[in-house]
Amino acid sequence: MSPSRPADRALRAVADSVAESRTRRPEDARDPAIPVAATAVLLRDSAGSLEVLMIERPDRGSFAGAWVFPGGKLEAGDRDAPDEPEAETARRAALRETQEETGLALEADDLVTLSCWDPPPGIALRIRTWFFLARIARGTLALSPDEAVAAEWMRPAEALARHGRGELTLYPPTWVTLHGLTVHADAGSAVDAARLVGVQRFETVARRGGEGPLLLWEGDDEYDPDAAAAASGSRHRLEIGALPWRYQRSG
């Protein structure tokens, strides 16, 4: 893959993080010192298939040129009370950021909590991010030029295929979220599944494998190198050494 291809940006960024990452500690997933963000995965049914709204970030900043879901960091005004659960503050931030970036309006009850992503500990840029699903959005799509240069409703499998060909940039949480949506025929199925399964937590460990960088999550035999792991063959990882990326989850 040519280094100039858009998809290579995320690969280089995550590959660099492998060298910076350290062993995960129990307190890392709720470290109050790192920023928190929220993102809304907007779904719709179109021509008999599920589509998700993706926006392309400007060619600057932490996610320069990447295709993402609308979202951003929590602000002081998003919190109703000092002891409010982080997920509730993030829900409010997801509503605000979606409207600011896309012009689309959501209500708090429209959002179903999907997942919480915590990056590898020790890396320079860590942002803990809450992901919410929504299949109802009101208004007309109108992008904020400071936040997005393009937007498309995409089928999840199409977005992954374009990434696999090096045509667009996705970061791992976006990629895995899209991968999970590929099994759903419509928005209702995706939202119902999220309610049934509950919040998925991705407390990430970065390693270097034989074919390049790996991102591991709990449930993978190699997730905790200090644990006396049995050789069960259990996998929960994303292999990002080359395109197309490969996600494995078993056990």
Side-chain angles (χ1 to χ4, degrees):
M1 180 179 64
S2 168
S4 63
R5 283 189 174 184
D8 194 57
R9 295 177 181 177
L11 177 58
R12 291 199 306 267
V14 180
D16 290 344
S17 76
V18 172
E20 301 169 1
S21 183
R22 60 164 170 77
T23 302
R24 178 168 284 278
R25 301 166 185 155
E27 64 271 21
D28 284 326
R30 291 168 177 81
D31 184 350
I34 70 170
V36 180
T39 191
V41 185
L42 305 183
L43 309 174
R44 75 175 187 184
D45 297 324
S46 178
S49 63
L50 171 66
E51 292 183 336
V52 60
L53 181 65
M54 306 288 296
I55 62 174
E56 184 182 12
R57 292 296 187 202
D59 198 16
R60 62 181 184 277
S62 302
F63 300 99
W67 285 83
V68 300
F69 310 119
K73 292 180 183 178
L74 276 60
E75 297 178 358
D78 295 323
R79 188 178 299 277
D80 263 0
D83 59 347
E84 181 177 62
E86 185 176 277
E88 291 309 305
T89 308
R91 179 184 301 271
R92 204 168 291 111
L95 302 178
R96 175 182 51 76
E97 289 284 342
T98 297
Q99 186 153 38
E100 289 177 358
E101 294 183 350
T102 69
L104 300 175
L106 296 163
E107 300 292 338
D109 290 345
D110 297 334
L111 297 180
V112 176
T113 311
L114 176 67
S115 58
C116 183
W117 287 78
D118 190 72
I123 64 176
L125 177 64
R126 291 187 68 213
I127 303 174
R128 183 166 57 249
T129 306
W130 291 84
F131 282 63
F132 300 90
L133 291 184
R135 58 174 175 168
I136 300 171
R138 304 161 188 86
T140 302
L141 183 63
L143 299 180
S144 167
D146 291 336
E147 302 288 351
V149 296
E152 288 186 42
W153 286 96
M154 301 184 193
R155 288 181 291 106
E158 173 196 2
L160 295 178
R162 289 170 62 181
H163 175 267
R165 294 192 297 266
E167 296 172 3
L168 52 75
T169 299
L170 297 174
Y171 277 79
T174 308
W175 193 100
V176 173
T177 301
L178 288 166
H179 183 274
L181 291 172
T182 61
V183 302
H184 298 289
D186 54 50
S189 170
V191 170
D192 289 346
R195 287 197 175 103
L196 181 64
V197 172
V199 181
Q200 301 178 67
R201 294 191 175 271
F202 290 83
E203 299 176 5
T204 311
V205 168
R207 300 265 173 75
R208 182 165 293 280
E211 298 181 2
L214 300 172
L215 299 181
L216 306 176
W217 297 285
E218 191 170 4
D220 194 288
D221 280 352
E222 299 177 27
Y223 179 75
D224 184 354
D226 298 324
S232 66
S234 180
R235 292 287 181 265
H236 191 191
R237 62 178 61 187
L238 182 63
E239 300 178 3
I240 59 172
L243 293 178
W245 290 355
R246 187 169 64 149
Y247 182 66
Q248 298 183 65
R249 187 167 192 173
S250 62

